[in-house]
């Protein structure tokens, strides 16, 4: 089964990557990437919203073609395209030459193609390919950190091996061996404790645009949904949930004591990933919906946060949390960094609040202690976000003449902030696209009348709200 | 019917007017449009004048109509399966005086700040944060569910931290802002835990109607003493952070680094009283969990004693006022724990008015002293030494040292809690780095790590 919208967007990104890579001028290639990524995002979003109105052979061919991915992942194509727009718009030129930009587009194409299918072989192939593209990018950096690239290769070889062999075992019916192997592979990819060591090094050494494109789509979450569609046996599920909770709290603690913004960012992302991993293993629909929403919010807010740090790094040269910096020179960049940092940790007024509220409220029934522990993780993550903001934008009058957001950066961030704030204000319009996911299932074939009806409900709710306003 | 719609409109306007003002300031600011000081003042002034008028009208209509509660259901914000997040505003004997008082004070402080911050570079930022604070506090006060309280509570916390760090070019205000935020976040764990447990055990975190014991709406009581005690204890923990109660109150004197008007409204008037407000809302829980009520009395009593001793050795007026605030809030905790709810409410209003006025006048303290001395023609008599007469002479040096060291609470928290936490996680981080070095068979060398290029 193939979902047409993400598949077409994926092809468009691949084509764009080919064109961008051939442009000799970095500024031109970035402008081209921004324009076309914007067009692809608008087309994807319009199609997602209008999907309930589209009928006939274009909408679905039984068992072969669908317009959109199933509920729970329906929003993913739009989200990935928007995060692509933010990444290319805020990518600094010197650290993101055309070839790097092209690899970013390839990574996004890979993410879109992954959510376009539920075929295990294709999902695994794309899962491995994305890691390969990121590794090639690390290798091609002129000032590459050989150790980080080596570490990345070790961990992702192990992850790829586990996922590949595990999936083969699953297809042969050896679930007892296959499931733990797939879970282990995904755990390494998602950098849960204690198999996370590649991740801080990766975030520290790779261009932040590549980090965003590789990490923010969280393909491990989709692989979990697609490859383990029949669910994980009870005991293992509880263990995975426990590991997710430990990662959420442990990484939060590690994040708040860092002295470099990039490393703090790495642990912040890990902590949020732990929350998602924990939520996915819950029996409660509320918690699972929260986990899926956290996944989507994490993709958007974290990308914005990463790219704000990239823009700041390009202006300052260092992202140390020891020196301090001037707020007065870059007030809008500072404001965006603060809002996106807080949005990514579930602060009120943004969609992240709704996501984490659902996740925590839903998980208490099954995991009372772990559920309450997550509250501690979100509290510490909030401290990390504010500490980074204070350390990077205050405590000093010194500046290097850095400029505030350029129009292209501001426009992309405006769209992103609007999406997070509006969806956070009217979450009822988004939830129907996330909520109806069946326990541990991602059955594309069941995506028919039910999904169309729910999507229509979402569209009508949106229209009604607009009319009321 | 008409009367009801009017009341609903008034209740909603108390929250939505400040929220609208926030939007009117934030959108042009994001797009880089310059907004003149007079426009900012007009927007903020109109919003809070409107909110004050609505609150006054509401108070009058409710009093004349003999209505105890007005509940405004704005709808379900989102819901999944059995879980739902309702937006309900409740106007009753507790929330309406508070809402009126908040709107009036924020509006007055806004007007006062016009001159105080005239031509300050962060003028717009200050008013943005003040408006966000006003809207969030109204939300906390009028909230019909604990979920909504948490929503507003978090926003009050971040505005408080950002205003303490208002003079961002200096390191100390920023450190103190962060310290306040850390205390808030640690205590917010209690509030969210209570909300989650209420949903888990009662099915909702909504307020239930007034009872003879509790003259206003209070949070539902979970079945079983253990659950009620847990939720009550969590709410006490949450209120200790905002109310700067011992041993967590060390952030309060440091919070005075922010602009004086914001210090007055946050730490003299409103923010610091949100802790007692939460406990007043938890009245039925305290009835069902006497151990929590006792804990409230003990915390409040300890804080009052601690703060009154420490406040006496402070050498700057703002710190002295901060400890005076802490003392009074401690006493309010004691009143709430003992069940004197109306007394606590009157105490809150009286203390907030007096203390905010004192903090607003604090920058001109020396001028006021000189003025008084000139008027009296002699030095001012020594005041405030009553307590010393009752303290045995042998105990006085020990108490003096105890007060100078701020009860050793700060030292204890920093040494044994914060440092232990940081050391523990730094050690884990070091082990992680060592493992990476071992795997990559390299000596630690980070010089090769690329930096983001300086080209935009």
């Amino acid at each position: 089964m193939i979902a047409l919208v993400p598949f077409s967007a994926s092809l468009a990104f691949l084509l764009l990557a080919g064109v961008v890579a051939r442009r000799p001028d970095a500024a031109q290639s970035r402008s081209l990437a921004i324009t076309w990524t914007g067009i692809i995002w608008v087309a994807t979003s319009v199609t997602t919203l209008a999907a309930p109105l589209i009928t006939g052979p274009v909408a679905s061919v039984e068992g072969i073609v669908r317009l959109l991915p199933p509920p729970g992942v329906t929003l993913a194509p739009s989200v990935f395209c928007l995060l692509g727009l933010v990444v290319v718009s805020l990518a600094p030129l010197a650290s993101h030459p055309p070839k790097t930009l092209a690899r970013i587009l390839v990574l996004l194409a890979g993410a879109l193609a992954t959510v376009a299918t539920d075929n295990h072989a294709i999902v695994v192939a794309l899962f491995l390919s994305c890691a390969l593209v990121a590794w090639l990018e690390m290798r091609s950096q002129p000032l590459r950190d050989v150790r980080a690239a080596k570490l990345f290769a070790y961990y992702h070889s192990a992850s790829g091996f586990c996922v590949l062999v595990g999936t083969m075992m699953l297809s042969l019916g050896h679930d007892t061996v296959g499931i733990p192997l797939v879970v282990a592979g995904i755990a390494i990819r998602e950098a849960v404790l204690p198999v996370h060591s590649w991740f801080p090094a990766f975030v520290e050494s790779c261009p932040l645009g590549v980090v965003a494109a590789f990490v923010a789509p969280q393909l491990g979450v989709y692989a979990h949904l697609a490859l383990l569609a029949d669910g994980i046996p009870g005991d293992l599920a509880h263990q995975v949930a426990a590991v997710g909770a430990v990662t959420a709290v442990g990484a939060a603690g590690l994040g708040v004591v860092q002295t470099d913004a990039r490393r703090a960012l790495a642990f912040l992302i890990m902590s949020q990933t732990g929350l998602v991993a924990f939520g996915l293993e819950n029996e409660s629909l509320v918690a699972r919906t929260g986990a899926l929403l956290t996944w989507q919010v994490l993709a958007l807010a974290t990308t914005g946060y990463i790219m704000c740090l990239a823009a700041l790094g390009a202006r300052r040269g260092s992202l140390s949390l020891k020196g301090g910096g001037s707020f007065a020179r870059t007030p809008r960049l500072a404001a965006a960094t603060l809002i996106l940092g807080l949005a990514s940790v579930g602060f009120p007024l943004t969609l992240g609040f709704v996501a984490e509220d659902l996740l925590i409220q839903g998980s208490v029934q099954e995991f009372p202690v772990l559920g309450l522990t997550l509250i501690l993780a979100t509290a510490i993550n909030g401290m990390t976000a504010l500490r980074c903001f204070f350390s990077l934008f205050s405590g000093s009058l010194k500046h290097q003449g850095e400029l505030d957001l350029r129009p292209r950066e501001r426009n992309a961030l405006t769209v992103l902030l609007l999406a997070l704030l509006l969806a956070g204000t009217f979450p009822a319009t988004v939830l129907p696209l996330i909520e109806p996911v069946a326990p541990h299932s991602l059955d594309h074939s069941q995506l028919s009348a039910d999904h169309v009806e729910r999507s229509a409900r979402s569209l009508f709710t949106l229209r009604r709200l607009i009319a009321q306003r | 019917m008409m009367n009801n719609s009017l009341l609903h409109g008034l209740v909603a306007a108390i929250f939505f007017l400040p929220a609208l003002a926030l939007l009117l300031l934030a959108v042009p600011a994001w797009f880089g449009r310059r907004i003149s000081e007079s426009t900012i003042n007009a927007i903020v002034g109109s919003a809070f004048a409107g909110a004050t008028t609505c609150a006054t009208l509401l108070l009058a209509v409710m009093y004349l109509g003999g209505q105890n509660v007005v509940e405004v259901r704005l709808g379900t914000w989102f819901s999944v399966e059995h879980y739902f997040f309702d937006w309900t505003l409740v106007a009753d004997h507790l929330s309406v005086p508070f809402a009126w008082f908040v709107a009036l004070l924020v509006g007055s402080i806004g007007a006062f700040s016009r001159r105080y911050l005239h031509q300050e570079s962060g003028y717009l930022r200050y008013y943005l944060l003040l408006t966000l604070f006003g809207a969030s506090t109204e939300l906390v006060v009028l909230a019909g569910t604990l979920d909504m309280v948490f929503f507003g509570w978090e926003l009050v916390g971040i505005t408080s931290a950002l205003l303490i760090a208002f003079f961002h070019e200096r390191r100390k205000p920023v450190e103190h802002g962060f310290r306040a935020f850390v205390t808030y976040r640690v205590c917010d764990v209690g509030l969210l835990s209570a909300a989650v447990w209420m949903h888990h055990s009662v099915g909702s975190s909504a307020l239930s109607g007034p009872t003879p014991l509790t003259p206003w709406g209070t949070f539902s009581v979970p079945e079983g003493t253990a659950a009620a005690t847990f939720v009550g204890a969590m709410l006490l923990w949450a209120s200790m952070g905002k109310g700067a109660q011992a041993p967590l109150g060390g952030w309060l004197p440091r919070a005075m680094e922010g602009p004086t008007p914001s210090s007055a409204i946050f730490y003299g008037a409103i923010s610091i009283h949100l802790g007692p407000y939460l406990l007043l809302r938890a009245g039925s829980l305290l009835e069902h969990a006497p151990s929590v009520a006792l804990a409230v009395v003990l915390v409040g009593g300890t804080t009052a004693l601690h703060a009154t001793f420490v406040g006496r050795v402070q050498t700057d007026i703002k710190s002295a006022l901060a400890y005076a605030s802490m003392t009074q809030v401690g006493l309010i905790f004691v009143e709430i724990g003992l069940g004197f709810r109306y007394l606590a409410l009157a105490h809150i209003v009286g203390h907030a008015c007096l203390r905010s006025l004192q903090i607003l006048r604090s920058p001109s303290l020396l001028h006021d002293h000189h003025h008084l001395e000139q008027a009296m023609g002699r030095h001012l008599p020594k005041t405030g030494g009553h307590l010393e007469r009752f303290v045995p002479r042998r105990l006085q040096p020990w108490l003096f040292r105890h007060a100078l060291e701020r009860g050793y609470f700060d030292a204890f928290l920093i040494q044994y809690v914060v440092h232990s936490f940081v050391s523990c996680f730094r050690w884990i981080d070091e082990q992680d780095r060592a493992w990476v070095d071992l795997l990559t068979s390299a000596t630690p060398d980070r010089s090769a790590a690329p930096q983001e290029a300086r080209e935009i």
Side-chain angles (χ1 to χ4, degrees), chain A residues 6 30 50 63 126 152 164 207 209 249 268 286 299 392-393 396 399 402:
Chain A
R30 185 172 64 183
L126 289 166
F152 187 91
L164 195 64
V249 179
L268 196 68
V286 181
L392 292 171
F393 291 102
S396 168
H399 64 83
E402 56 259 37

Side-chain angles (χ1 to χ4, degrees), chain A residues 416-429:
Chain A
L416 180 65
L417 287 172
L418 263 181
L420 285 169
L421 295 174
L422 280 178
T425 312
F426 306 108
T429 56

Side-chain angles (χ1 to χ4, degrees), chain B residues 64-225:
Chain B
L64 294 174
Q67 207 159 350
N68 287 331
V69 183
V70 178
E71 192 176 309
V72 185
R73 268 190 61 82
L74 299 173
T76 299
W77 191 28
F78 59 88
S79 67
V80 176
E81 217 179 27
H82 62 275
Y83 176 69
F84 53 90
F85 192 121
D86 270 349
W87 277 78
T88 310
L89 301 177
V90 171
D92 58 14
H93 286 193
L94 179 64
S95 62
V96 178
F98 244 93
W100 174 81
F101 176 63
V102 168
L104 183 70
L105 269 179
V106 176
S108 310
I109 294 288
F112 180 87
S113 309
R114 259 173 76 179
R115 285 196 172 183
Y116 196 88
L117 291 167
H118 178 54
Q119 295 205 329
E120 180 72 43
S121 57
Y123 196 86
L124 174 61
R125 183 160 46 96
Y126 171 82
Y127 275 95
L128 260 173
L129 292 172
L130 186 71
T131 317
L132 177 59
F133 167 71
S136 318
T137 312
E138 293 291 13
L139 187 64
V140 171
V141 167
L142 294 168
T145 65
L146 196 53
D147 304 318
M148 282 176 69
V149 171
F150 179 72
F151 191 103
W153 194 267
E154 291 274 284
L155 293 174
V156 170
I158 189 80
T159 49
S160 171
L162 292 174
L163 274 170
I164 296 168
F166 181 79
F167 299 110
H168 55 80
E169 65 283 357
R170 289 191 283 128
R171 189 166 282 275
K172 279 293 164 192
V174 176
E175 282 176 12
H176 295 163
F178 183 62
R179 183 182 170 137
F181 188 72
V182 168
T183 311
Y184 288 158
R185 290 296 280 186
V186 169
C187 292
D188 290 353
V189 169
L191 187 57
L192 187 54
S193 301
V196 168
W197 210 257
M198 296 270 283
H199 275 280
H200 177 59
S201 54
V202 185
S204 151
S205 68
L207 292 175
S208 54
T211 64
L213 284 173
T214 52
W216 42 70
T218 54
F219 300 118
S220 309
V221 183
E223 268 186 41
T225 313

Side-chain angles (χ1 to χ4, degrees), chain B residues 257-427:
Chain B
E257 291 265 16
T260 300
S262 72
S263 300
I265 196 154
F266 275 82
Y267 317 115
I270 297 173
S271 176
I272 197 164
H273 289 118
L274 287 179
Y277 179 85
L278 187 67
L279 290 178
L280 286 172
R281 278 283 183 225
S284 51
L285 278 163
L286 298 185
E287 295 291 339
H288 284 81
S291 54
V292 179
L294 179 67
V296 171
V297 174
L298 287 177
V299 166
T302 309
T303 305
L305 273 177
H306 159 74
T308 195
F309 282 122
V310 177
R312 274 155 211 279
V313 301
Q314 297 307 307
T315 50
D316 66 293
I317 183 63
K318 278 194 163 183
S319 295
L321 288 174
Y323 279 104
S325 278
M326 213 190 277
T327 309
Q328 294 304 317
V329 176
L331 290 176
I332 295 168
F333 266 60
V334 173
E335 289 156 12
I336 295 171
L338 294 175
F340 302 124
R341 297 196 179 86
Y342 275 116
L343 176 64
L345 184 58
H347 195 161
I348 288 172
V349 174
H351 172 239
C353 292
L354 172 73
R355 195 68 66 208
S356 53
L357 188 67
Q358 283 182 328
I359 296 177
L360 283 178
R361 290 297 301 174
S362 61
S364 49
L365 178 80
L366 292 178
H367 175 80
D368 289 350
H369 264 244
H370 290 154
H371 191 72
L372 274 174
E373 285 181 345
Q374 277 171 2
M376 291 172 74
R378 61 186 171 90
H379 285 298
L380 291 177
K382 189 171 179 268
T383 58
H386 318 297
L387 194 63
E388 283 84 337
R389 281 183 289 160
F390 300 104
V391 178
R393 189 167 286 275
R394 288 176 63 187
L395 211 58
Q396 282 186 3
W398 182 84
L399 267 179
F400 184 69
R401 190 174 163 196
H402 174 91
L404 274 181
E405 296 289 345
R406 301 183 176 191
Y408 300 97
F409 285 149
D410 283 5
F412 174 81
L413 286 177
I414 289 171
Q415 185 68 32
Y416 293 103
V417 181
V418 177
H419 279 183
S420 304
F421 177 89
V422 171
S423 308
C424 170
F425 279 100
R426 288 228 163 113
W427 181 82

Side-chain angles (χ1 to χ4, degrees), chain A residues 30 92-95 143 147 150-151 154-155 196-197 205 208 250 253-254 256-258 262-263 285-286 289 313-315 317 322-323 327 332 347-349 353-354 357-358 360-361 364-365 375 378-379 382-383 386-387 390 394-397 400 405 414 417 424-425 427-428 431, chain B residues 29-32 77-83 85 125 147 150-151 154-155 158 161-162 165 168-171 174 177-178 181-182 185-186 189 192-193 195-197 199-200 230 421-422 425-426 428-429 432-433 435-437 439-440 442 445-446 448 450-456:
Chain A
R30 185 172 64 183
L93 281 184
S95 56
L143 290 167
R147 296 166 66 240
K150 210 189 236 185
L151 204 61
Y154 289 163
Y155 274 82
H196 67 283
S197 299
S205 64
L208 284 172
L254 285 164
V256 81
V257 301
Q258 297 302 320
R262 281 185 163 215
R263 207 168 162 86
L285 182 66
V286 181
T289 308
R315 285 158 168 83
K322 285 180 174 169
F327 170 88
R332 271 174 287 169
F347 221 73
L349 291 179
F353 177 79
V354 179
D357 191 49
L358 286 172
I360 292 168
Q361 294 279 6
V364 170
Q365 188 87 30
I375 298 174
T378 57
M383 294 175 204
L386 193 73
R387 179 168 173 259
F390 276 155
S394 52
S396 168
L397 263 178
Q400 301 167 23
L405 290 177
T414 304
L417 287 172
T425 312
L431 279 174
Chain B
W30 172 253
F31 287 102
W77 191 28
F78 59 88
S79 67
V80 176
E81 217 179 27
H82 62 275
Y83 176 69
F85 192 121
R125 183 160 46 96
D147 304 318
F150 179 72
F151 191 103
E154 291 274 284
L155 293 174
I158 189 80
L162 292 174
H168 55 80
E169 65 283 357
R170 289 191 283 128
R171 189 166 282 275
V174 176
F178 183 62
F181 188 72
V182 168
R185 290 296 280 186
V186 169
V189 169
L192 187 54
S193 301
V196 168
W197 210 257
H199 275 280
H200 177 59
F230 174 73
F421 177 89
V422 171
F425 279 100
R426 288 228 163 113
I428 296 172
D429 195 38
D432 186 36
R433 287 174 193 263
W435 164 246
V436 168
D437 291 338
L439 261 188
T440 52
D445 174 19
R446 305 205 160 264
Q451 300 280 334
E452 281 289 317
R454 296 199 56 238
E455 193 175 339
I456 299 168

